[in-house]
Amino acid sequence: VQLQASGGGLVQPGGSLRLSCRTSGFTSDYYTVGWVRQAPGKEREGVSLINSADDTTHYADSVKGRFTISRDNAKSTVILEMNSLKTEDTAVYYCAASEFGDRIRVTSVEYLTYDTWGQGTLVTVSS
């Protein structure tokens, strides 16, 4: 599995950004793709995830109502739409994935033991 993240940048508070994670190499129909962020000096934090089994999604409380994760199957891409950005959203954002042999769903963004990690993309929210 290979993951290619893109879309980070500098944005003012209240602004929006769209992160993309292009995926390739899945051999199973059942996988989970998540976005995990790490701010300077802080632990990695699960932000959001989506399950291919049924397109269920989960979000960290800190981003609920502001971020939306989705899949574009035609483009093999997972999108994270980020709105109403706050300075505390500043971090390196990683997309990550795990494949499963069965119809398994990850049900918490606290799941961080993904099998594959993409490179990070930096999001800076600052005026």
Side-chain angles (χ1 to χ4, degrees):
V1 176
Q2 291 188 320
L3 307 172
Q4 180 73 35
S6 62
L10 173 64
V11 64
Q12 291 186 340
S16 299
L17 276 177
R18 186 174 191 256
L19 304 185
S20 296
C21 178
R22 185 163 186 131
T23 69
S24 62
F26 285 123
T27 58
S28 170
D29 289 335
Y30 306 118
Y31 56 87
T32 298
V33 176
W35 288 95
V36 178
R37 68 187 180 187
Q38 187 164 24
K42 294 190 175 180
E43 300 279 326
R44 282 189 174 182
E45 174 192 19
V47 174
S48 182
L49 63 87
I50 186 165
N51 292 300
S52 71
D54 55 6
D55 277 335
T56 49
T57 58
H58 296 275
Y59 298 91
D61 287 344
S62 58
V63 307
K64 276 181 185 175
R66 301 188 297 122
F67 291 11
T68 303
I69 192 170
S70 61
R71 288 195 303 153
D72 182 338
N73 291 333
K75 297 180 181 179
S76 300
T77 301
V78 172
I79 306 294
L80 185 69
E81 298 276 3
M82 306 187 296
N83 298 312
S84 302
L85 282 162
K86 304 176 181 180
T87 55
E88 51 263 44
D89 293 318
T90 295
V92 177
Y93 284 70
Y94 300 88
C95 63
S98 287
E99 276 192 286
F100 305 107
D102 203 346
R103 201 176 171 85
I104 292 174
R105 303 168 194 80
V106 175
T107 58
S108 170
V109 293
E110 293 184 2
Y111 175 86
L112 295 179
T113 53
Y114 290 98
D115 298 326
T116 304
W117 292 76
Q119 91 290 0
T121 185
L122 177 62
V123 172
T124 303
V125 184
S126 174
S127 55

